[in-house]
Amino acid sequence: MRLAFCVALLFAACAATQARPKLPGTFGTGEALPPPVAPEPGGALAPTAVPGAPAAIPGQPVAADPGAEADFRDAKARFDAGAQAEARTALEAFAAHHAQHPFRPAVDLMLARLALLRGDAVTAKEKLEPLVSSPPDPGTASSARYYLGIAEVRTGQFARGRELLLPFLPVAGTNGPGDEALVELRGALAEATSAGGDLSAALELWDGYARGGREHEKAYARSRAIELSTDVTPDAAARTWRASAERGLARAVLGAKAAAFVRASGDAAGAASIDTETTAARRAMGFEDAQAQAQGAGDAGRLGLAVALTGKFQPVGEAAMRAAMLAVGLPTKLPTASPLMMPTAPAGAAAMQLYVRDAGGEPERAGRGVGELARDESVIGIIAATDRKAATTSLAAASEAGVPTLALDDTPPGAASTAFQLIHAPEARVAALARAALKLGARDFAMLGPDSAAGKRLRDAFRREVTAAGGRVIGEASYAPGATSFGTVVATIKKAPPQVVFIADGADRLELIAPALAAADLWPAPWGAPRPPANPGQPRPRTVLLLSTAAELSPRLLQNAGRYVQGALLSPGFYAAAGDARARAFVEAYRAAYGSDPHATEAYAFDAAAAFRSVTAGGARNRADVLGALGAGTFEGLTGAMRFGVDHGRVDAPRLYVISGDDIKPYP
């Protein structure tokens, strides 16, 4: 078999389609390859050129040595025939008896190649180093550098090995000698390149390795590529995906992560295109698609949690874990450590176990955790609650393993993914507010929001929804994120004046902006409420309907600004409203278990666990069943009638709430 670096090495673009830009570190100067280092199974070593007669040293006669030449030809014949043990004995005998003979470099080169074949890279290096430092001729020098590079990689000297081997790769944009001839070279370079931290180039090298390799080598390349892809950052995944071969290995393993990155950047069409090509690449490279991978896998009594229990996102991860425990009927006392498995459900409760991995901190940890849940714990599905960077990695890992995943994220993961978006997108929440106001009869709108990317995103979405329905945005102002004084921006809005004011910010800003509007004679009130009477010597105030996404909504808003927010319509995702019959049991159970009110994070996580519980109770017994049920079903939950579109994004309308007196109630 070919000399394998840990069994086999990489994969390159098809010869017919390789003339394309390559990533730095994936091309060389096209130096000619030496003969193969190993015989094919049952075959002979590739014949090695017989050195010519010893060159004459100027001024000295050359003595003929028929015995040495005969010994050399006998040893070489055994080498060429693939009789490795006999060849080694004969070559070592030649070296012992003819140490200074001009054929000695060729003998040492063959001994080094035999050492590599039996896995003795140290001996190979001892034979090759003198031939590289003081080469007797260009041909021997080239062969010695190549095989020394292989030996360096196999002994862990990756930088040195890469330096020696890189020139043998084809020039950028050319086909070179063909993929099959480059398998050994690309494999060794892929290992050396990944060890040096250039994961994108390593993946491209593995891509080339697989194209030239046999089936077992392709399988090895797939496994190595999957391992490496976990550590590739989302932005690097997108860059590498674009530069890599169509229907190649790099596209197959990086597609989910690249699509998520592009989609998060606002390019839904580009992400969809990546999804389509990734599916084709995975099929071409021998990967099973998510549905096929999911078939027959997973235990319906096991649910995974990939949640941040450390790092900045830890409060969200713990909130999600608390809600999931409540949803499946597990004991609600939080563990003092971070166990890998929560206790079995008590008698009478749902027969479901929660298996937990900490997905906080580094994205690589999140990817490994998802892999462990899928492989080691055989979970039927996963609830993921991580920051955006870790989410990209963890959702790609889940898709790779074929595990249905409900992610506390507001971005559609794409049709090729096995993940589904749990949190309504900000645009969906904004659109619901705009539609509610338009339905009441409002036509003139103003907008306020922070001068940030998120604030602009919300205002742009609101404007699109209003104008598409025939409304007008007649005033707009922004303020610095975290501002506490709003006199100037409110004065700008007052000039319009609007019927509706949309505040693209959280509940904490809403409680400060609403009084500022009232002070400027724009009095927040329910739609259709009469205008308040004027104070002596003052103009009569106008009433305005307040709209806000009001993230992190809590009773504090009523306590601090209740009279200024009457009639306001809010879209926080979820609120523990006293009059919400749908959520009463959940809110009461949560308060009893944890001594506090749940927020939107807990509600979305509860809905996720309840959805998994629903589909398994309905007969889903493997991951494919669950995947199909999630994609086709509607799940009535705390946050809405959960339903997903073709891109696995959430498409049902978010819940709205209205402030009425001392209550915040579901609307309508």
Side-chain angles (χ1 to χ4, degrees), residues 356-374:
V356 183
R357 289 296 187 276
D358 180 7
E362 295 299 319
E364 293 77 11
R365 174 191 290 177
R368 286 193 298 271
V370 167
E372 291 170 5
L373 289 171

PDB file of all heavy atoms in Angstrom, residues 356-374:
ATOM      1  N   VAL A 356     -25.816  16.907  29.392  1.00  0.00           N
ATOM      2  CA  VAL A 356     -25.377  18.299  29.300  1.00  0.00           C
ATOM      3  C   VAL A 356     -23.908  18.384  28.919  1.00  0.00           C
ATOM      4  O   VAL A 356     -23.071  17.632  29.437  1.00  0.00           O
ATOM      5  CB  VAL A 356     -25.604  19.028  30.647  1.00  0.00           C
ATOM      6  CG1 VAL A 356     -25.222  20.503  30.530  1.00  0.00           C
ATOM      7  CG2 VAL A 356     -27.053  18.898  31.085  1.00  0.00           C
ATOM      8  N   ARG A 357     -23.596  19.317  28.025  1.00  0.00           N
ATOM      9  CA  ARG A 357     -22.207  19.680  27.737  1.00  0.00           C
ATOM     10  C   ARG A 357     -22.085  21.199  27.824  1.00  0.00           C
ATOM     11  O   ARG A 357     -22.965  21.929  27.352  1.00  0.00           O
ATOM     12  CB  ARG A 357     -21.785  19.221  26.335  1.00  0.00           C
ATOM     13  CG  ARG A 357     -21.633  17.719  26.192  1.00  0.00           C
ATOM     14  CD  ARG A 357     -20.521  17.162  27.062  1.00  0.00           C
ATOM     15  NE  ARG A 357     -20.261  15.764  26.804  1.00  0.00           N
ATOM     16  CZ  ARG A 357     -20.936  14.755  27.337  1.00  0.00           C
ATOM     17  NH1 ARG A 357     -21.938  14.995  28.155  1.00  0.00           N
ATOM     18  NH2 ARG A 357     -20.621  13.496  27.059  1.00  0.00           N
ATOM     19  N   ASP A 358     -21.005  21.645  28.422  1.00  0.00           N
ATOM     20  CA  ASP A 358     -20.727  23.078  28.519  1.00  0.00           C
ATOM     21  C   ASP A 358     -20.228  23.572  27.166  1.00  0.00           C
ATOM     22  O   ASP A 358     -19.166  23.173  26.701  1.00  0.00           O
ATOM     23  CB  ASP A 358     -19.686  23.336  29.609  1.00  0.00           C
ATOM     24  CG  ASP A 358     -19.351  24.814  29.767  1.00  0.00           C
ATOM     25  OD1 ASP A 358     -20.023  25.651  29.134  1.00  0.00           O
ATOM     26  OD2 ASP A 358     -18.422  25.125  30.538  1.00  0.00           O
ATOM     27  N   ALA A 359     -21.006  24.430  26.530  1.00  0.00           N
ATOM     28  CA  ALA A 359     -20.643  24.980  25.218  1.00  0.00           C
ATOM     29  C   ALA A 359     -20.237  26.443  25.343  1.00  0.00           C
ATOM     30  O   ALA A 359     -20.309  27.197  24.370  1.00  0.00           O
ATOM     31  CB  ALA A 359     -21.805  24.834  24.240  1.00  0.00           C
ATOM     32  N   GLY A 360     -19.807  26.857  26.521  1.00  0.00           N
ATOM     33  CA  GLY A 360     -19.385  28.238  26.717  1.00  0.00           C
ATOM     34  C   GLY A 360     -17.925  28.436  26.379  1.00  0.00           C
ATOM     35  O   GLY A 360     -17.150  27.488  26.280  1.00  0.00           O
ATOM     36  N   GLY A 361     -17.528  29.680  26.220  1.00  0.00           N
ATOM     37  CA  GLY A 361     -16.124  29.998  25.944  1.00  0.00           C
ATOM     38  C   GLY A 361     -15.762  29.806  24.494  1.00  0.00           C
ATOM     39  O   GLY A 361     -16.327  30.430  23.603  1.00  0.00           O
ATOM     40  N   GLU A 362     -14.827  28.888  24.213  1.00  0.00           N
ATOM     41  CA  GLU A 362     -14.292  28.718  22.873  1.00  0.00           C
ATOM     42  C   GLU A 362     -15.254  27.955  21.969  1.00  0.00           C
ATOM     43  O   GLU A 362     -15.878  26.975  22.400  1.00  0.00           O
ATOM     44  CB  GLU A 362     -12.959  27.962  22.932  1.00  0.00           C
ATOM     45  CG  GLU A 362     -11.854  28.712  23.650  1.00  0.00           C
ATOM     46  CD  GLU A 362     -11.533  30.028  22.960  1.00  0.00           C
ATOM     47  OE1 GLU A 362     -11.493  30.056  21.715  1.00  0.00           O
ATOM     48  OE2 GLU A 362     -11.348  31.015  23.664  1.00  0.00           O
ATOM     49  N   PRO A 363     -15.400  28.376  20.707  1.00  0.00           N
ATOM     50  CA  PRO A 363     -16.261  27.639  19.770  1.00  0.00           C
ATOM     51  C   PRO A 363     -15.863  26.178  19.628  1.00  0.00           C
ATOM     52  O   PRO A 363     -16.721  25.317  19.439  1.00  0.00           O
ATOM     53  CB  PRO A 363     -16.072  28.399  18.456  1.00  0.00           C
ATOM     54  CG  PRO A 363     -15.695  29.786  18.867  1.00  0.00           C
ATOM     55  CD  PRO A 363     -14.857  29.612  20.103  1.00  0.00           C
ATOM     56  N   GLU A 364     -14.553  25.888  19.712  1.00  0.00           N
ATOM     57  CA  GLU A 364     -14.097  24.515  19.565  1.00  0.00           C
ATOM     58  C   GLU A 364     -14.703  23.618  20.639  1.00  0.00           C
ATOM     59  O   GLU A 364     -15.046  22.462  20.389  1.00  0.00           O
ATOM     60  CB  GLU A 364     -12.563  24.445  19.626  1.00  0.00           C
ATOM     61  CG  GLU A 364     -11.866  25.102  18.461  1.00  0.00           C
ATOM     62  CD  GLU A 364     -11.844  26.624  18.559  1.00  0.00           C
ATOM     63  OE1 GLU A 364     -12.199  27.174  19.640  1.00  0.00           O
ATOM     64  OE2 GLU A 364     -11.490  27.268  17.557  1.00  0.00           O
ATOM     65  N   ARG A 365     -14.839  24.162  21.846  1.00  0.00           N
ATOM     66  CA  ARG A 365     -15.449  23.385  22.930  1.00  0.00           C
ATOM     67  C   ARG A 365     -16.895  23.058  22.589  1.00  0.00           C
ATOM     68  O   ARG A 365     -17.361  21.947  22.833  1.00  0.00           O
ATOM     69  CB  ARG A 365     -15.387  24.155  24.248  1.00  0.00           C
ATOM     70  CG  ARG A 365     -16.134  23.449  25.379  1.00  0.00           C
ATOM     71  CD  ARG A 365     -16.297  24.347  26.593  1.00  0.00           C
ATOM     72  NE  ARG A 365     -15.036  24.565  27.265  1.00  0.00           N
ATOM     73  CZ  ARG A 365     -14.904  25.370  28.329  1.00  0.00           C
ATOM     74  NH1 ARG A 365     -15.947  26.026  28.797  1.00  0.00           N
ATOM     75  NH2 ARG A 365     -13.735  25.521  28.909  1.00  0.00           N
ATOM     76  N   ALA A 366     -17.596  24.029  22.029  1.00  0.00           N
ATOM     77  CA  ALA A 366     -18.993  23.804  21.656  1.00  0.00           C
ATOM     78  C   ALA A 366     -19.099  22.689  20.621  1.00  0.00           C
ATOM     79  O   ALA A 366     -19.960  21.805  20.724  1.00  0.00           O
ATOM     80  CB  ALA A 366     -19.608  25.098  21.129  1.00  0.00           C
ATOM     81  N   GLY A 367     -18.236  22.724  19.610  1.00  0.00           N
ATOM     82  CA  GLY A 367     -18.269  21.690  18.582  1.00  0.00           C
ATOM     83  C   GLY A 367     -17.974  20.309  19.139  1.00  0.00           C
ATOM     84  O   GLY A 367     -18.637  19.331  18.794  1.00  0.00           O
ATOM     85  N   ARG A 368     -16.964  20.229  20.029  1.00  0.00           N
ATOM     86  CA  ARG A 368     -16.637  18.935  20.630  1.00  0.00           C
ATOM     87  C   ARG A 368     -17.789  18.429  21.495  1.00  0.00           C
ATOM     88  O   ARG A 368     -18.102  17.232  21.506  1.00  0.00           O
ATOM     89  CB  ARG A 368     -15.361  19.048  21.463  1.00  0.00           C
ATOM     90  CG  ARG A 368     -14.090  19.162  20.638  1.00  0.00           C
ATOM     91  CD  ARG A 368     -12.864  18.956  21.514  1.00  0.00           C
ATOM     92  NE  ARG A 368     -12.764  19.961  22.555  1.00  0.00           N
ATOM     93  CZ  ARG A 368     -12.135  21.135  22.414  1.00  0.00           C
ATOM     94  NH1 ARG A 368     -11.573  21.430  21.258  1.00  0.00           N
ATOM     95  NH2 ARG A 368     -12.065  21.994  23.407  1.00  0.00           N
ATOM     96  N   GLY A 369     -18.415  19.351  22.243  1.00  0.00           N
ATOM     97  CA  GLY A 369     -19.520  18.950  23.106  1.00  0.00           C
ATOM     98  C   GLY A 369     -20.678  18.375  22.321  1.00  0.00           C
ATOM     99  O   GLY A 369     -21.269  17.357  22.707  1.00  0.00           O
ATOM    100  N   VAL A 370     -21.022  19.012  21.200  1.00  0.00           N
ATOM    101  CA  VAL A 370     -22.096  18.499  20.362  1.00  0.00           C
ATOM    102  C   VAL A 370     -21.724  17.126  19.809  1.00  0.00           C
ATOM    103  O   VAL A 370     -22.560  16.206  19.768  1.00  0.00           O
ATOM    104  CB  VAL A 370     -22.409  19.488  19.224  1.00  0.00           C
ATOM    105  CG1 VAL A 370     -23.282  18.840  18.160  1.00  0.00           C
ATOM    106  CG2 VAL A 370     -23.084  20.732  19.775  1.00  0.00           C
ATOM    107  N   GLY A 371     -20.483  16.978  19.395  1.00  0.00           N
ATOM    108  CA  GLY A 371     -20.039  15.679  18.899  1.00  0.00           C
ATOM    109  C   GLY A 371     -20.162  14.591  19.949  1.00  0.00           C
ATOM    110  O   GLY A 371     -20.570  13.461  19.653  1.00  0.00           O
ATOM    111  N   GLU A 372     -19.824  14.912  21.192  1.00  0.00           N
ATOM    112  CA  GLU A 372     -19.939  13.930  22.274  1.00  0.00           C
ATOM    113  C   GLU A 372     -21.393  13.579  22.551  1.00  0.00           C
ATOM    114  O   GLU A 372     -21.726  12.410  22.782  1.00  0.00           O
ATOM    115  CB  GLU A 372     -19.280  14.484  23.540  1.00  0.00           C
ATOM    116  CG  GLU A 372     -17.767  14.585  23.438  1.00  0.00           C
ATOM    117  CD  GLU A 372     -17.162  15.350  24.599  1.00  0.00           C
ATOM    118  OE1 GLU A 372     -17.922  15.724  25.524  1.00  0.00           O
ATOM    119  OE2 GLU A 372     -15.938  15.576  24.596  1.00  0.00           O
ATOM    120  N   LEU A 373     -22.271  14.588  22.526  1.00  0.00           N
ATOM    121  CA  LEU A 373     -23.691  14.307  22.740  1.00  0.00           C
ATOM    122  C   LEU A 373     -24.230  13.384  21.656  1.00  0.00           C
ATOM    123  O   LEU A 373     -25.012  12.465  21.931  1.00  0.00           O
ATOM    124  CB  LEU A 373     -24.485  15.609  22.768  1.00  0.00           C
ATOM    125  CG  LEU A 373     -24.280  16.511  23.990  1.00  0.00           C
ATOM    126  CD1 LEU A 373     -24.956  17.863  23.771  1.00  0.00           C
ATOM    127  CD2 LEU A 373     -24.827  15.850  25.252  1.00  0.00           C
ATOM    128  N   ALA A 374     -23.824  13.635  20.425  1.00  0.00           N
ATOM    129  CA  ALA A 374     -24.310  12.830  19.307  1.00  0.00           C
ATOM    130  C   ALA A 374     -23.727  11.430  19.323  1.00  0.00           C
ATOM    131  O   ALA A 374     -24.450  10.436  19.166  1.00  0.00           O
ATOM    132  CB  ALA A 374     -23.972  13.525  17.991  1.00  0.00           C
TER     133      ALA A 374
END
